[in-house]
């Protein structure tokens, strides 16, 4: 049994590596690192060509990443919002702020594949930020080669130990396949549960765009705060007129500028207003009593026909009043 399975992997190994890496880089929760490690071990045993393993994995990375890059280049913020909405990593849109993509630019692609949640997000983001195709291909190619090289090298170096694992799995037959399937299912369920718990903790009363507009027109003007990342504003320069420009890390600066008895409305463009709700909860912990996220965020405000202004994409991430 063991020899038959190893022969099967040997015969279709390069195709399996290509498809697994391509699907994972496209955004599916199907880890490709284990496959590349096994392929590296088979290469050490002369059952697969080492150069072939590295080549097909690299090509798969570049194909998927370039497709996401083009999507970001031509569809901008809409692609990022879609990724946040479907991602099993619930904080992926918040991480854009934490890692300051606008400062790293293409250089972030060198490390993006080693950071959970960023491998799929990085290519469309730098595309939307205007990184040209040639620098993108250079940075993404080097970053992909580093990622693939590390995984394949691990398999190559520890080939003897991995051969024992393959032998054990082969002897276990269908039981091993069921176990692997169960582990993958548990991984997906765990990521879904993580997202569910985050959204549950962020549940709080929202203010609708109509209520906000009525408050502004009635003279009861609340303090409106835009908490999108600087990178997000480079992609999408829309803001609600008069909004404070901040981010999820600017709670202390907001508290220093806004009176404790003020009414605040926090908005972003994340699904379920995740970033806005996080900032709202943090401000409530600072003692603010009247603070609510904007239901539907900036998109709902503009869809309702209410005015928006546009700011340059190079605004610093600091609390400041938009013109």
């Amino acid at each position: 049994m063991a020899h038959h399975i190893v022969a099967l992997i040997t015969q279709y190994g390069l195709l399996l590596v290509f498809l697994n890496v391509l699907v994972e880089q496209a955004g599916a929760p199907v880890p490709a690192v284990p496959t590349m490690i096994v392929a590296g071990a088979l290469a050490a045993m002369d059952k697969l060509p080492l150069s072939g393993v590295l080549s097909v994995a690299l090509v798969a990375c570049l194909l998927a990443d370039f497709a996401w890059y083009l999507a970001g280049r031509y569809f901008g913020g809409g692609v990022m919002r879609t990724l946040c909405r479907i991602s099993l990593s619930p904080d992926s849109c918040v991480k854009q702020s934490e890692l300051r993509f606008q400062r790293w630019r293409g250089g972030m692609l060198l490390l993006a594949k080693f950071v959970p949640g960023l491998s799929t997000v990085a290519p469309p983001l730098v595309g939307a930020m205007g990184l040209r195709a040639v620098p993108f291909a250079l940075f993404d190619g080097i970053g992909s080669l580093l990622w693939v090289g590390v995984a394949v090298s691990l398999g190559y170096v520890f080939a003897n130990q991995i051969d024992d694992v393959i032998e054990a799995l082969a002897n276990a037959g269908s039981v091993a396949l069921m176990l692997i399937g169960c582990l993958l299912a548990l991984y997906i369920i765990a990521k879904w549960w993580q997202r569910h718990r985050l959204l549950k903790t962020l549940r709080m009363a929202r203010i609708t765009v109509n209520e906000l507009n009525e408050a502004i027109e009635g003279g009861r003007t609340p303090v409106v705060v835009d908490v999108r990342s600087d990178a997000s504003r480079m992609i999408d320069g829309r803001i609600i007129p008069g909004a404070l420009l901040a981010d999820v890390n600017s709670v202390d600066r907001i508290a220093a500028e806004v009176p404790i008895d003020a009414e605040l409305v926090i908005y972003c463009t994340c699904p379920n207003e995740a970033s806005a709700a996080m900032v709202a909860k943090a401000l409530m912990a600072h003692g603010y009593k009247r603070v609510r996220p904007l239901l539907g965020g900036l998109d709902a405000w503009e869809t309702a026909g209410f005015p928006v202004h546009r700011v340059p994409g190079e605004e610093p991430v600091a609390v400041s009043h938009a013109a």
Side-chain angles (χ1 to χ4, degrees):
M1 174 68 76
H3 296 296
H4 289 302
I5 291 184
V6 170
L8 185 64
I9 297 175
T10 302
Q11 182 177 356
Y12 297 106
L14 294 182
L15 179 60
L16 290 175
V17 170
F18 176 81
L19 292 177
N20 196 171
V21 173
L22 183 68
V23 168
E24 187 205 38
Q25 295 305 301
V30 185
V33 169
T35 302
M36 290 190 292
I37 290 176
V38 171
L42 292 175
M45 294 181 279
D46 293 325
K47 299 182 184 299
L48 285 177
L50 179 61
S51 60
V53 173
L54 293 172
S55 298
V56 298
L58 180 60
V59 170
C61 284
L62 293 176
L63 285 176
D65 290 351
F66 198 69
W68 278 121
Y69 166 79
L70 291 177
R73 187 70 181 251
Y74 292 104
F75 300 104
V79 172
M80 301 309 303
R81 290 191 292 274
T82 299
L83 280 174
C84 285
R85 190 170 291 113
I86 66 176
S87 175
L88 288 175
S89 297
D91 58 347
S92 58
C93 59
V94 177
K95 285 180 179 176
Q96 296 174 30
S97 174
E98 296 172 345
L99 293 176
R100 309 297 174 92
F101 275 100
Q102 73 280 6
R103 295 183 183 178
W104 288 86
R105 293 294 178 111
M108 177 51 68
L109 295 168
L110 297 175
L111 300 176
K113 295 191 185 305
F114 294 94
V115 182
L118 292 181
S119 183
T120 305
V121 173
L125 182 58
V126 297
M129 289 168 59
L131 184 68
R132 296 190 306 274
V134 172
F136 170 79
L138 176 62
F139 284 118
D140 191 64
I142 295 174
S144 297
L145 186 58
L146 286 173
W147 179 66
V148 170
V150 168
V152 174
S153 296
L154 285 174
Y156 196 92
V157 172
F158 297 101
N160 291 334
Q161 291 82 352
I162 293 170
D163 189 34
D164 293 338
V165 173
I166 294 174
E167 183 78 19
L169 290 175
N171 291 332
S174 59
V175 175
L177 293 177
M178 291 177 60
L179 178 60
I180 293 173
C182 288
L183 290 175
L184 179 59
L186 287 174
Y187 171 79
I188 295 175
I189 291 172
K191 297 296 288 184
W192 174 86
W193 180 246
Q194 180 186 13
R195 181 186 183 97
H196 174 77
R197 287 186 60 191
L198 175 66
L199 297 180
K200 185 176 180 180
T201 62
L202 296 181
R203 285 176 185 164
M204 62 173 63
R206 264 69 166 164
I207 183 173
T208 67
V209 293
N210 289 325
E211 289 172 336
L212 175 58
N213 186 63
E214 289 171 2
I216 294 174
E217 290 186 344
R220 185 177 56 85
T221 304
V223 177
V224 180
V225 185
D226 182 323
V227 294
R228 294 174 298 158
S229 68
D230 201 7
S232 294
R233 280 193 291 267
M234 290 181 69
I235 297 170
D236 182 354
R238 300 173 299 160
I239 61 165
I240 295 176
L244 295 179
L245 305 184
D247 67 10
V248 294
N249 299 314
S250 299
V251 173
D252 289 337
R253 284 179 285 178
I254 295 172
E257 177 142 338
V258 180
I260 196 69
D261 60 346
E263 179 182 5
L264 293 97
V265 174
I266 317 296
Y267 75 85
C268 62
T269 52
C270 287
N272 302 288
E273 301 82 52
S275 295
M278 290 175 64
V279 173
K281 280 185 174 290
L283 287 171
M284 292 171 70
H286 275 68
Y288 289 88
K289 303 298 183 184
R290 299 185 298 161
V291 50
R292 289 186 288 174
L294 180 63
L295 182 63
L298 181 58
D299 292 329
W301 176 265
E302 185 176 42
T303 299
F306 300 130
V308 294
H309 288 172
R310 295 190 177 272
V311 294
E314 301 297 333
E315 289 289 331
V317 181
V319 176
S320 59
H321 281 282

